[in-house]
Amino acid sequence: MTGTKPLLLVDVDGPLNPFAAKPHRRPMGYLTHRMKPDCWIAQHPGTPERHVKALRVWLNPSHGPALMALPYDLVWATTWEHDANDWIGWRIGFPRERDLPVIEFGDQSELRPDGTYFKTWKVVEYAAGRPFAWIDDQIGETDRAYVERHHAGPALLHYVDPRTGLTGGDFAALAEWAARVGGGNASSPSAS
C-alpha cells in the first residue's frame, strides 16, 4: 500500500446503488441492472441459483470516471468484496481491465461490543495510518470515534444517503478534503 495519494474506500450499496430510493422510480442518470453475484447467492443458502431472484441494482455510468478523476487511490470497501470488480466496476465506467483492491470483511454478522459498524475496524487496519476517505451509508458517530482513537492519519468518514447515492456535493466534499490533506488537484469532477 504505497503511494502519496490518500485512499478512497468505496461502498457499493448506498453510495453507488441508491437502494433506498423509491422502489419503482429509478433515480435520474441511473441504469437498472439485474444480477446474481456470488455474495447475493450466498445469502440464499440451500436455494438453487436458478430459484434465487435477481438483485435489482441501480448504477450511474458517470460515477466511475468521476471517482477516477479524484486524487485518490480507489479501494472497494463493500460487502460485495471481489464481486464489485466483476459486477459493478465496469458498469459505472471503470475500465474493464482495471480491478480495484478489495478490503475483505469476513464474518459480516459479527457484532462489535463497542457498537461500531462491522467494517470499521477492518477499514482502519487496511489503511494502516495512511490518509483515507470512506464513503458509506452506515457510518455513524461510534465509527468516527473509533477511527479517531485507532487511526494515526487523517480520515474522512463521509456518509452518503442511500436514497440519493453519490451527488455532486459528495464529489465536491471528497475533492476538497483530498486537497486539504495534500491529495492533489482540488477540482471537483462532475457526476450526474
Side-chain angles (χ1 to χ4, degrees):
M1 267 188 298
T2 62
T4 57
K5 294 190 283 188
L7 298 168
L8 178 55
L9 310 176
V10 182
D11 183 29
V12 170
D13 293 318
L16 298 178
N17 171 28
F19 67 89
K22 293 186 179 186
H24 300 292
R25 235 178 131 179
R26 180 179 64 216
M28 191 160 52
Y30 286 78
L31 302 175
T32 301
H33 303 277
R34 303 279 178 195
M35 52 185 81
K36 293 184 185 184
D38 292 340
C39 60
W40 181 244
I41 298 300
Q43 291 181 32
H44 301 84
T47 304
E49 184 176 336
R50 68 183 181 280
H51 293 298
V52 174
K53 184 178 178 183
L55 181 63
R56 185 217 64 214
V57 180
W58 285 325
L59 298 171
N60 186 325
S62 73
H63 282 165
L67 287 167
M68 289 187 301
L70 290 168
Y72 289 92
D73 288 331
L74 303 175
V75 177
W76 290 120
T78 173
T79 57
W80 287 69
E81 292 185 354
H82 295 279
D83 282 341
N85 281 317
D86 296 333
W87 294 86
I88 303 299
W90 63 273
R91 286 181 167 100
I92 64 167
F94 289 161
R96 282 189 186 259
E97 65 280 357
R98 181 180 181 192
D99 280 354
L100 298 184
V102 174
I103 298 175
E104 295 179 351
F105 293 107
D107 183 2
Q108 298 168 12
S109 64
E110 181 182 340
L111 297 177
R112 302 276 301 171
D114 61 359
T116 56
Y117 184 32
F118 74 86
K119 290 181 181 179
T120 306
W121 72 276
K122 285 285 201 174
V123 160
V124 169
E125 178 182 75
Y126 185 90
R130 185 171 168 188
F132 74 87
W134 175 22
I135 54 175
D136 203 300
D137 64 308
Q138 299 206 23
I139 295 170
E141 290 309 312
T142 306
D143 305 296
R144 293 178 208 291
Y146 181 90
V147 170
E148 193 172 301
R149 284 191 316 274
H150 298 282
H151 181 68
L156 171 67
L157 278 65
H158 187 79
Y159 171 82
V160 176
D161 189 330
R163 295 170 298 182
T164 62
L166 285 170
T167 65
D170 297 309
F171 283 99
L174 291 167
E176 179 184 310
W177 185 83
R180 231 182 8 251
V181 298
N185 183 356
S187 68
S188 174
S190 62
S192 18

